[in-house]
Amino acid sequence: MRVLGLETSCDDTGVAVYDSQVGLLSHLRYSQAALHAEYGGVVPELASRDHIRKILPLVRLMLDRAEISAASINGIAYTVGPGLAGALLVGAAVGRSLALAWGVPGIGIHHMEGHLLSPMLEDDPPQFPFLALLVSGGHTLLADVQAVGQYQILGESLDDAAGEAFDKTAKLLGLGYPGGPAIEQAARSGRNGKFRFPRPMTDRPGLDFSFSGLKTACALAVTNSTLDSQAIADISAELQAAVVDTLIVKVERAIAQTGLNRVVMAGGVSANQLLRERLAQLAQRTGVTCHFPRLEFCTDNGAMIAFAGYQRLQAGQHDGPEFTVHPRWALSDLPPLRS
Ligand code: KG4
Ligand code: ZN
């Protein structure tokens, strides 16, 4: 089975084709980051319009480059939530229309299920069950994953997501958008211990997160400092350390609580090098295996949607001719796979 995947939930237009025999055949991503940079964050209306401009030419380019004929595609997967309503509508409308035009089944995919399954695109895919840490711009959550569609949420952010803490602080520091890579870069010349930010909710039991206080701590540090490049680097280093420490404490706790011996990390923030190193160290120390996607599949991409779509389509699941998008949609509301 060959599945075309379309991702347009936020500011990346992602397209890919996954083949059940061969694996990922091709993928392309167009980032709107430059378009939104001057506004310091994603402007939803601009995002929708740009997806409209880019998505079909990107599909065509990908198919041409990889010499894949449209007639060989057996199914189409498109993100229907969570995300920006207008942006989601573009991918869903195009996906639905192509499914109708090509006479193949189509299915709406949960964006976070795409992230969650993305490490399975790698050569050494994790086996079920596993513990998943999903860290993106909109979500921070820990889930006990028994199978595709069987997700028990163990903890999640009560306010800002980890990625949001990076994005909002980067804006305060004048580092631009998206904040995560900029903070990571600035942190390289930062000195440890020049600032001290909290590790929120690590001193009480439970697996929930809260990152909004970190933003306040950073804002205070910005107000009380002469914001030269060294101070920016020092604040970035401490923010990164605080986010990473907090995530690692909770993952260790979740490993102990669930007894799971595999950890999977995905989502945009999982591109962070310090976080990848610290998770690998934790895995080694606790005797569990850890898996994360290659860097280009940490942030939004079409490959993860094509792969999640394949999982559901091959189980006989597909949507009818009508479609709807779900800007807010809990991962735990997803149906399990039909067996
Ligand atoms: O998964 P993603 O591309 O989109 C959402 O589903 O939200 O995640 C985007 C988030 C942004 O907040 C971005 O700042 C963060 O991932 N991010 C990073 C890094 N690369 C992207 N955060 C920390 N370090 C990075 N290297
Ligand atoms: Zn995402």
Side-chain angles (χ1 to χ4, degrees), residues 81-104:
L84 302 170
L88 290 165
L89 276 168
V90 178
V94 168
R96 244 338 328 143
S97 309
L98 288 178
L100 276 172
W102 293 350
V104 296

Side-chain angles (χ1 to χ4, degrees), residues 29 34 45 69 78 171-172 220 230 282 288:
R29 185 178 73 106
E45 182 59 25
S69 76
Y78 38 88
K171 202 169 175 179
L172 277 179
L220 217 63
Q230 188 58 59
L282 170 69
V288 305

Side-chain angles (χ1 to χ4, degrees), residues 7 9 111-112 115 136-137 267-268 298-300 304:
E7 157 62 36
S9 67
H111 180 79
M112 298 311 289
H115 277 306
S136 71
C298 289
T299 43
D300 294 348
M304 66 184 196

Side-chain angles (χ1 to χ4, degrees), residues 10 15 33 64 84-85 94 103 113 122 164 171 179 188 211 216 218 221 240 246 251 259 303 310 312:
C10 190
V15 301
D64 286 351
L84 302 170
V94 168
E113 178 169 74
E122 302 307 334
E164 241 171 316
K171 202 169 175 179
R188 292 208 177 100
F211 288 108
T216 314
C218 289
Q240 180 175 255
T246 304
V251 172
Y310 161 68
R312 291 195 171 273

Side-chain angles (χ1 to χ4, degrees), residues 11-337:
D11 60 342
D12 291 298
T13 316
V15 301
V17 176
Y18 180 81
D19 183 297
S20 53
Q21 303 291 319
V22 189
L24 189 65
L25 286 184
S26 184
H27 65 96
L28 278 180
R29 185 178 73 106
Y30 173 79
S31 166
Q32 300 178 351
L35 177 71
H36 301 290
E38 64 176 294
Y39 304 98
V42 179
V43 183
E45 182 59 25
L46 293 183
S48 315
R49 289 178 193 208
D50 210 43
H51 285 308
I52 292 173
R53 275 193 290 268
K54 299 291 168 14
I55 188 161
L56 278 172
L58 208 59
V59 169
R60 215 167 283 136
L61 182 67
M62 175 191 60
L63 295 180
D64 286 351
R65 265 196 199 165
E67 297 181 357
I68 301 168
S69 76
S72 71
I73 305 280
N74 314 110
I76 303 192
Y78 38 88
T79 308
V80 288
L84 302 170
L88 290 165
L89 276 168
V90 178
V94 168
R96 244 338 328 143
S97 309
L98 288 178
L100 276 172
W102 293 350
V104 296
I107 187 154
I109 294 297
H110 192 297
H111 180 79
M112 298 311 289
E113 178 169 74
H115 277 306
L116 195 153
L117 300 177
S118 62
M120 293 185 157
L121 286 162
E122 302 307 334
D123 287 341
D124 177 24
Q127 305 293 311
F128 296 112
F130 54 75
L131 174 72
L133 171 67
L134 297 185
V135 271
S136 71
H139 294 80
T140 307
L141 63 84
L142 280 162
D144 177 331
V145 177
Q146 291 294 320
V148 175
Q150 290 181 38
Y151 311 131
Q152 188 200 347
I153 309 300
L154 304 169
E156 57 192 323
S157 182
L158 305 176
D159 41 55
D160 289 356
E164 241 171 316
F166 283 122
D167 294 337
K168 288 178 176 172
T169 307
K171 202 169 175 179
L172 277 179
L173 295 174
L175 291 176
Y177 170 84
I183 296 271
E184 177 166 27
Q185 175 64 31
R188 292 208 177 100
S189 36
R191 298 164 299 182
N192 289 331
K194 286 290 164 188
F195 291 89
R196 180 72 190 168
F197 299 153
R199 273 61 177 158
M201 297 183 68
T202 50
D203 55 354
R204 60 179 109 150
L207 296 172
D208 285 333
F209 303 91
S210 163
F211 288 108
S212 69
L214 264 180
K215 182 188 57 193
T216 314
C218 289
L220 217 63
V222 167
T223 313
N224 295 334
S225 317
T226 310
L227 209 56
D228 56 17
S229 60
Q230 188 58 59
I232 290 173
D234 294 343
I235 292 173
S236 297
E238 176 58 9
L239 171 69
Q240 180 175 255
V243 172
V244 170
D245 282 351
T246 304
L247 293 172
I248 294 297
V249 165
K250 300 286 169 146
V251 172
E252 182 161 14
R253 209 175 274 176
I255 293 171
Q257 185 178 309
T258 59
L260 290 166
N261 59 10
R262 274 178 288 268
V263 182
V264 158
M265 173 170 76
V269 180
S270 68
N272 185 275
Q273 205 51 45
L274 180 67
L275 181 57
R276 290 166 87 92
E277 282 164 22
R278 290 282 305 281
L279 189 70
Q281 285 164 9
L282 170 69
Q284 202 170 30
R285 182 159 54 78
T286 52
V288 305
T289 55
C290 76
H291 301 258
F292 17 80
R294 71 193 86 160
L295 287 181
E296 62 187 325
F297 293 159
C298 289
T299 43
D300 294 348
N301 64 86
M304 66 184 196
I305 302 303
F307 182 73
Y310 161 68
Q311 295 294 327
R312 291 195 171 273
L313 287 166
Q314 60 86 27
Q317 199 180 321
H318 60 85
D319 293 345
E322 75 292 345
F323 71 92
T324 168
V325 296
H326 310 277
R328 298 175 72 84
W329 188 9
L331 190 62
S332 50
D333 286 347
L334 275 178
L337 279 194

